[in-house]
Amino acid sequence: MADTTELSEYNVSMSNKLVRAAHALKLIEKRLIATAIAKVDSRKGSAVHAHLSAFQKVRITAIEFGETYGIDQTNVYRELKAAADDLFNRQITIEDGKKYTKMRWVSSATYAESAGYVELSFTPEVYPHLHALSREYTSYKLKNAAALQSVYSWRLYELAKSWLDYCKAKQKPFKIQLKDLQHALEVPEKYTWHDTRKRAIDPAIIEIAQHAGLKISYSVIKTGRAITALDISVSEISQMQLPL
């Protein structure tokens, strides 16, 4: 029997290590990658899922992409093609102390103009971060992020989701170094704390509360006079509490 579940109902699941890495994606590319990961979720339980081949040739049609993100059909083909063109050169940067690991998202990206679809193949390096996940992973429904209009909002949402269980269990905020937060959000290197807060963090917090059901707040931690870290609190907003 064919699966009639809407794409937006599937989960986007990644290891926490991947969530907290630098993704090097513009919003349209982030949407495409997240959609492809949701497609991976839709295949779970199939006989071939345990093999890397299940992650090759993940197809996203222009119609379902446009419906998921509310993109007009006159624009969706152009946006999907542009995202596919750029994705092949995008890199993930995972920071572990003073060690940096770079890897590509996809080994191939195909755009079929006449048929109106994109096919992506995840690299073998990314594959373990999407499959056979340990407890250290983050998962959310694609529809919960689909309305976000800023890549900063999407990245902060993923980061906050990766710490939500910790905040709930410990009943306290998580601490993150400012440089690590800036790395995950990928703000320009020239951004000061004031720029990061004004242009990325504060607008993202508002948008996430409005559309993605998370309440995020923070307090700054100083070393001397410099802001070097943040305590960030994360909690879920019930449907009854969502802003109109």
Side-chain angles (χ1 to χ4, degrees), residues 68-177:
T68 299
Y69 297 104
I71 303 173
D72 187 274
Q73 288 299 305
T74 58
N75 296 317
V76 68
Y77 292 96
R78 182 182 69 253
E79 294 196 17
L80 199 58
K81 182 179 186 301
D85 285 344
D86 291 338
L87 264 179
F88 184 73
N89 295 316
R90 297 302 186 198
Q91 295 180 335
I92 306 160
T93 305
I94 297 178
E95 183 179 352
D96 184 8
K98 293 186 177 181
K99 183 174 69 174
Y100 294 83
T101 301
K102 290 184 179 291
M103 55 191 179
R104 292 185 186 274
W105 280 102
V106 298
S107 57
S108 68
T110 302
Y111 177 68
E113 184 172 2
S114 59
Y117 67 80
V118 162
E119 281 185 340
L120 303 178
S121 295
F122 288 108
T123 62
E125 291 78 16
V126 168
Y127 164 74
H129 293 278
L130 309 179
H131 178 56
L133 298 170
S134 67
R135 291 190 308 161
E136 297 297 317
Y137 74 97
T138 298
S139 185
Y140 60 89
K141 285 194 180 298
L142 181 61
K143 67 179 181 181
N144 290 348
L148 299 176
Q149 297 298 308
S150 163
V151 73
Y152 293 143
S153 298
W154 201 319
R155 294 294 291 120
L156 184 61
Y157 173 69
E158 288 180 337
L159 184 66
K161 282 286 288 185
S162 77
W163 287 101
L164 177 61
D165 287 345
Y166 173 90
C167 291
K168 288 167 65 174
K170 302 290 186 180
Q171 290 291 297
K172 66 178 186 179
F174 70 92
K175 180 179 179 180
I176 185 169
Q177 296 298 311

Side-chain angles (χ1 to χ4, degrees), residues 173-189:
F174 70 92
K175 180 179 179 180
I176 185 169
Q177 296 298 311
L178 178 57
K179 67 178 183 64
D180 293 334
L181 179 60
Q182 291 172 321
H183 172 78
L185 296 181
E186 292 181 284
V187 299
E189 290 185 6

Side-chain angles (χ1 to χ4, degrees), residues 213-229:
L214 283 187
K215 179 181 179 181
I216 303 170
S217 59
Y218 64 87
S219 58
V220 299
I221 300 170
K222 293 185 176 180
T223 301
R225 298 179 63 181
I227 293 171
T228 55

